Amino acid sequence: MIRIGGGKYRSRLLEVPSYLEVPTKEIVRLGIANALTPFLKGACALDLFAGSGALGFEALSRGAMHVDFVDNNFEAIETIKRNALKLDCQKEIRVFHADFLSFLKNSDFQEKYSLVFLDPPYLEKGFYLEAVKFLFEKQLLSSSAHLVLEYEKEEPISPLLSSYSKRTYNYGRSKVSIYHLL
């Protein structure tokens, strides 16, 4: 179990899928949420590689209007649905059981995301590049979106992001870069 750190669901516990050996630590989630505080109210967010959904639920708790959760693991999807039920926030979310590329390639949503969390398995560095490529290609980002990349060691930077404003935070093994698309 992990705890939501702030907002309307503060201190509420979330289930974690059993396959997640190291979910995003609370200090990392709190750091991300605190860095994004001015941008969370009314945000439309995408939690790609969602796992337990902790990043998306933290954003909802702190004022995001809507979150789409995407994961290709059935256990993760069921965990996210149970967590949403416990928080009674089913109307503010959509849950997609899909591979991230299938989701991004086939999405035809009218709204654009103002906040995207990218936290794939650390060993899969190519996932970051592919995800960013399709977010731009399919025009799924609002004009002032924030992209949050959580990674280990070297940043899996995409040339598509090199011209955007970036803040980087170090949390021991975990590192986070937040890009603001201006």
Side-chain angles (χ1 to χ4, degrees):
M1 300 287 258
I2 55 178
R3 182 179 52 221
I4 294 178
K8 66 183 176 182
Y9 304 129
R10 182 184 182 130
S11 298
R12 302 281 297 274
L13 295 175
L14 298 175
E15 290 180 41
V16 177
S18 63
Y19 74 89
L20 274 181
E21 294 174 20
V22 185
T24 300
K25 293 181 180 164
E26 184 172 5
I27 191 169
V28 177
R29 287 183 284 109
L30 290 177
I32 291 169
N34 289 337
L36 293 172
T37 295
F39 311 103
L40 289 175
K41 188 170 177 76
C44 182
L46 171 62
D47 191 348
L48 212 51
F49 315 99
S52 67
L55 291 171
F57 287 123
E58 189 76 48
L60 264 183
S61 182
R62 294 173 182 246
M65 179 178 61
H66 177 84
V67 178
D68 285 342
F69 295 94
V70 179
D71 205 292
N72 68 349
N73 184 290
F74 181 75
E75 183 184 356
I77 295 302
E78 293 303 307
T79 300
I80 292 166
K81 289 177 181 177
R82 285 191 303 275
N83 285 333
L85 190 61
K86 286 194 315 193
L87 298 174
D88 192 27
C89 63
Q90 302 92 315
K91 292 181 181 174
E92 290 89 21
I93 72 164
R94 291 186 294 198
V95 183
F96 298 90
H97 183 204
D99 170 81
F100 80 99
L101 274 179
S102 298
F103 174 81
L104 292 174
K105 285 180 181 178
N106 298 316
S107 62
D108 58 354
F109 304 120
Q110 298 302 314
E111 76 276 356
K112 298 193 182 290
Y113 296 110
S114 55
L115 177 59
V116 177
F117 297 106
L118 296 174
D119 182 17
Y122 286 161
L123 298 176
E124 303 297 342
K125 293 194 185 315
F127 287 2
Y128 296 93
L129 303 176
E130 288 295 308
V132 170
K133 174 185 165 194
F134 280 100
L135 286 165
F136 279 104
E137 193 173 287
K138 298 288 283 186
Q139 299 178 353
L140 296 174
L141 301 171
S142 70
S143 60
S144 62
H146 286 81
L147 293 177
V148 180
L149 283 68
E150 185 181 342
Y151 54 94
E152 182 182 55
K153 297 178 185 168
E154 296 176 25
E155 182 175 2
I157 182 68
S158 169
L160 294 171
L161 297 176
S162 60
S163 65
Y164 294 104
S165 167
K166 173 180 93 165
R167 290 176 287 162
T168 300
Y169 305 88
N170 294 307
Y171 300 97
R173 179 179 167 216
S174 297
K175 295 177 183 23
V176 174
S177 289
I178 300 176
Y179 287 89
H180 185 188
L181 310 183
L182 301 170

